[in-house]
PDB file of all heavy atoms in Angstrom:
ATOM      1  N   VAL W 272     -14.492  25.869 -27.702  1.00  0.00           N
ATOM      2  CA  VAL W 272     -15.097  27.041 -27.054  1.00  0.00           C
ATOM      3  C   VAL W 272     -14.167  28.233 -27.319  1.00  0.00           C
ATOM      4  O   VAL W 272     -14.613  29.369 -27.603  1.00  0.00           O
ATOM      5  CB  VAL W 272     -15.289  26.791 -25.533  1.00  0.00           C
ATOM      6  CG1 VAL W 272     -15.664  28.057 -24.886  1.00  0.00           C
ATOM      7  CG2 VAL W 272     -16.329  25.734 -25.308  1.00  0.00           C
ATOM      8  N   SER W 273     -12.911  28.051 -27.077  1.00  0.00           N
ATOM      9  CA  SER W 273     -11.937  29.130 -27.202  1.00  0.00           C
ATOM     10  C   SER W 273     -11.911  29.688 -28.658  1.00  0.00           C
ATOM     11  O   SER W 273     -11.923  30.936 -28.827  1.00  0.00           O
ATOM     12  CB  SER W 273     -10.510  28.616 -26.853  1.00  0.00           C
ATOM     13  OG  SER W 273      -9.573  29.512 -27.354  1.00  0.00           O
ATOM     14  N   LYS W 274     -12.036  28.743 -29.599  1.00  0.00           N
ATOM     15  CA  LYS W 274     -11.999  29.111 -31.031  1.00  0.00           C
ATOM     16  C   LYS W 274     -13.310  29.846 -31.377  1.00  0.00           C
ATOM     17  O   LYS W 274     -13.239  30.968 -31.992  1.00  0.00           O
ATOM     18  CB  LYS W 274     -11.918  27.847 -31.837  1.00  0.00           C
ATOM     19  CG  LYS W 274     -11.600  28.180 -33.328  1.00  0.00           C
ATOM     20  CD  LYS W 274     -11.430  26.891 -34.115  1.00  0.00           C
ATOM     21  CE  LYS W 274     -12.717  26.119 -34.269  1.00  0.00           C
ATOM     22  NZ  LYS W 274     -12.597  24.816 -34.903  1.00  0.00           N
ATOM     23  N   GLN W 275     -14.434  29.364 -30.938  1.00  0.00           N
ATOM     24  CA  GLN W 275     -15.750  29.967 -31.337  1.00  0.00           C
ATOM     25  C   GLN W 275     -15.995  31.346 -30.633  1.00  0.00           C
ATOM     26  O   GLN W 275     -16.493  32.213 -31.243  1.00  0.00           O
ATOM     27  CB  GLN W 275     -16.858  28.989 -30.932  1.00  0.00           C
ATOM     28  CG  GLN W 275     -16.926  27.777 -31.818  1.00  0.00           C
ATOM     29  CD  GLN W 275     -18.221  27.196 -31.953  1.00  0.00           C
ATOM     30  OE1 GLN W 275     -19.096  27.401 -31.085  1.00  0.00           O
ATOM     31  NE2 GLN W 275     -18.440  26.479 -33.058  1.00  0.00           N
ATOM     32  N   GLN W 276     -15.539  31.534 -29.402  1.00  0.00           N
ATOM     33  CA  GLN W 276     -15.712  32.792 -28.770  1.00  0.00           C
ATOM     34  C   GLN W 276     -14.525  33.729 -28.814  1.00  0.00           C
ATOM     35  O   GLN W 276     -14.585  34.851 -28.267  1.00  0.00           O
ATOM     36  CB  GLN W 276     -16.139  32.575 -27.307  1.00  0.00           C
ATOM     37  CG  GLN W 276     -17.341  31.654 -27.156  1.00  0.00           C
ATOM     38  CD  GLN W 276     -17.798  31.554 -25.730  1.00  0.00           C
ATOM     39  OE1 GLN W 276     -17.362  32.320 -24.875  1.00  0.00           O
ATOM     40  NE2 GLN W 276     -18.697  30.606 -25.402  1.00  0.00           N
ATOM     41  N   ASN W 277     -13.489  33.159 -29.337  1.00  0.00           N
ATOM     42  CA  ASN W 277     -12.189  33.943 -29.471  1.00  0.00           C
ATOM     43  C   ASN W 277     -11.724  34.470 -28.103  1.00  0.00           C
ATOM     44  O   ASN W 277     -11.491  35.704 -27.908  1.00  0.00           O
ATOM     45  CB  ASN W 277     -12.393  35.113 -30.488  1.00  0.00           C
ATOM     46  CG  ASN W 277     -11.086  35.771 -30.889  1.00  0.00           C
ATOM     47  OD1 ASN W 277     -10.001  35.041 -30.806  1.00  0.00           O
ATOM     48  ND2 ASN W 277     -11.079  36.969 -31.267  1.00  0.00           N
ATOM     49  N   ILE W 278     -11.639  33.587 -27.164  1.00  0.00           N
ATOM     50  CA  ILE W 278     -11.236  33.896 -25.760  1.00  0.00           C
ATOM     51  C   ILE W 278     -10.116  32.938 -25.284  1.00  0.00           C
ATOM     52  O   ILE W 278      -9.941  31.863 -25.856  1.00  0.00           O
ATOM     53  CB  ILE W 278     -12.413  33.814 -24.770  1.00  0.00           C
ATOM     54  CG1 ILE W 278     -13.103  32.447 -24.805  1.00  0.00           C
ATOM     55  CG2 ILE W 278     -13.414  34.943 -25.004  1.00  0.00           C
ATOM     56  CD1 ILE W 278     -14.218  32.245 -23.807  1.00  0.00           C
ATOM     57  N   ASN W 279      -9.413  33.374 -24.267  1.00  0.00           N
ATOM     58  CA  ASN W 279      -8.439  32.535 -23.604  1.00  0.00           C
ATOM     59  C   ASN W 279      -9.215  31.798 -22.404  1.00  0.00           C
ATOM     60  O   ASN W 279      -9.917  32.468 -21.657  1.00  0.00           O
ATOM     61  CB  ASN W 279      -7.315  33.337 -22.991  1.00  0.00           C
ATOM     62  CG  ASN W 279      -6.445  34.003 -24.144  1.00  0.00           C
ATOM     63  OD1 ASN W 279      -6.342  33.402 -25.214  1.00  0.00           O
ATOM     64  ND2 ASN W 279      -5.925  35.186 -23.893  1.00  0.00           N
ATOM     65  N   VAL W 280      -8.985  30.496 -22.341  1.00  0.00           N
ATOM     66  CA  VAL W 280      -9.669  29.666 -21.355  1.00  0.00           C
ATOM     67  C   VAL W 280      -8.693  28.900 -20.529  1.00  0.00           C
ATOM     68  O   VAL W 280      -7.717  28.304 -21.100  1.00  0.00           O
ATOM     69  CB  VAL W 280     -10.680  28.685 -22.108  1.00  0.00           C
ATOM     70  CG1 VAL W 280     -11.503  27.946 -21.126  1.00  0.00           C
ATOM     71  CG2 VAL W 280     -11.544  29.435 -23.151  1.00  0.00           C
ATOM     72  N   VAL W 295      -6.131  27.345 -23.069  1.00  0.00           N
ATOM     73  CA  VAL W 295      -5.957  27.739 -24.454  1.00  0.00           C
ATOM     74  C   VAL W 295      -5.698  29.129 -24.371  1.00  0.00           C
ATOM     75  O   VAL W 295      -6.588  29.999 -24.049  1.00  0.00           O
ATOM     76  CB  VAL W 295      -7.198  27.411 -25.300  1.00  0.00           C
ATOM     77  CG1 VAL W 295      -6.899  27.612 -26.798  1.00  0.00           C
ATOM     78  CG2 VAL W 295      -7.842  26.023 -25.092  1.00  0.00           C
ATOM     79  N   PHE W 296      -4.442  29.590 -24.680  1.00  0.00           N
ATOM     80  CA  PHE W 296      -4.013  30.978 -24.718  1.00  0.00           C
ATOM     81  C   PHE W 296      -3.533  31.247 -26.161  1.00  0.00           C
ATOM     82  O   PHE W 296      -2.641  30.579 -26.568  1.00  0.00           O
ATOM     83  CB  PHE W 296      -2.946  31.273 -23.727  1.00  0.00           C
ATOM     84  CG  PHE W 296      -3.455  31.526 -22.394  1.00  0.00           C
ATOM     85  CD1 PHE W 296      -3.773  30.553 -21.468  1.00  0.00           C
ATOM     86  CD2 PHE W 296      -3.621  32.845 -21.903  1.00  0.00           C
ATOM     87  CE1 PHE W 296      -4.231  30.804 -20.193  1.00  0.00           C
ATOM     88  CE2 PHE W 296      -4.102  33.120 -20.618  1.00  0.00           C
ATOM     89  CZ  PHE W 296      -4.418  32.057 -19.751  1.00  0.00           C
ATOM     90  N   ASP W 297      -4.143  32.213 -26.760  1.00  0.00           N
ATOM     91  CA  ASP W 297      -3.768  32.608 -28.099  1.00  0.00           C
ATOM     92  C   ASP W 297      -3.680  31.419 -29.059  1.00  0.00           C
ATOM     93  O   ASP W 297      -2.708  31.186 -29.771  1.00  0.00           O
ATOM     94  CB  ASP W 297      -2.436  33.373 -28.150  1.00  0.00           C
ATOM     95  CG  ASP W 297      -2.476  34.640 -27.308  1.00  0.00           C
ATOM     96  OD1 ASP W 297      -3.597  35.196 -27.243  1.00  0.00           O
ATOM     97  OD2 ASP W 297      -1.468  34.997 -26.701  1.00  0.00           O
ATOM     98  N   ASP W 412      -4.630  37.963 -19.215  1.00  0.00           N
ATOM     99  CA  ASP W 412      -5.279  37.826 -20.522  1.00  0.00           C
ATOM    100  C   ASP W 412      -6.347  36.673 -20.423  1.00  0.00           C
ATOM    101  O   ASP W 412      -7.001  36.352 -21.406  1.00  0.00           O
ATOM    102  CB  ASP W 412      -4.326  37.449 -21.589  1.00  0.00           C
ATOM    103  CG  ASP W 412      -3.287  38.620 -21.727  1.00  0.00           C
ATOM    104  OD1 ASP W 412      -3.641  39.688 -21.384  1.00  0.00           O
ATOM    105  OD2 ASP W 412      -2.184  38.280 -22.290  1.00  0.00           O
ATOM    106  N   ASP W 414      -9.760  34.998 -19.973  1.00  0.00           N
ATOM    107  CA  ASP W 414     -11.139  35.410 -20.094  1.00  0.00           C
ATOM    108  C   ASP W 414     -12.064  34.652 -19.246  1.00  0.00           C
ATOM    109  O   ASP W 414     -13.034  35.078 -18.670  1.00  0.00           O
ATOM    110  CB  ASP W 414     -11.568  35.508 -21.500  1.00  0.00           C
ATOM    111  CG  ASP W 414     -10.699  36.430 -22.387  1.00  0.00           C
ATOM    112  OD1 ASP W 414     -10.702  37.682 -22.120  1.00  0.00           O
ATOM    113  OD2 ASP W 414     -10.035  35.910 -23.305  1.00  0.00           O
ATOM    114  N   LEU W 415     -11.861  33.245 -19.315  1.00  0.00           N
ATOM    115  CA  LEU W 415     -12.839  32.350 -18.736  1.00  0.00           C
ATOM    116  C   LEU W 415     -12.128  31.252 -17.959  1.00  0.00           C
ATOM    117  O   LEU W 415     -11.210  30.633 -18.467  1.00  0.00           O
ATOM    118  CB  LEU W 415     -13.695  31.744 -19.869  1.00  0.00           C
ATOM    119  CG  LEU W 415     -14.765  30.712 -19.371  1.00  0.00           C
ATOM    120  CD1 LEU W 415     -15.820  31.336 -18.510  1.00  0.00           C
ATOM    121  CD2 LEU W 415     -15.463  30.144 -20.623  1.00  0.00           C
TER     122      LEU W 415
END
Side-chain angles (χ1 to χ4, degrees):
Chain W
V272 172
S273 165
K274 190 176 73 186
Q275 291 207 336
Q276 301 186 16
N277 194 25
I278 54 173
N279 293 328
V280 185
V295 191
F296 276 83
D297 300 330
D412 297 339
D414 299 298
L415 177 65

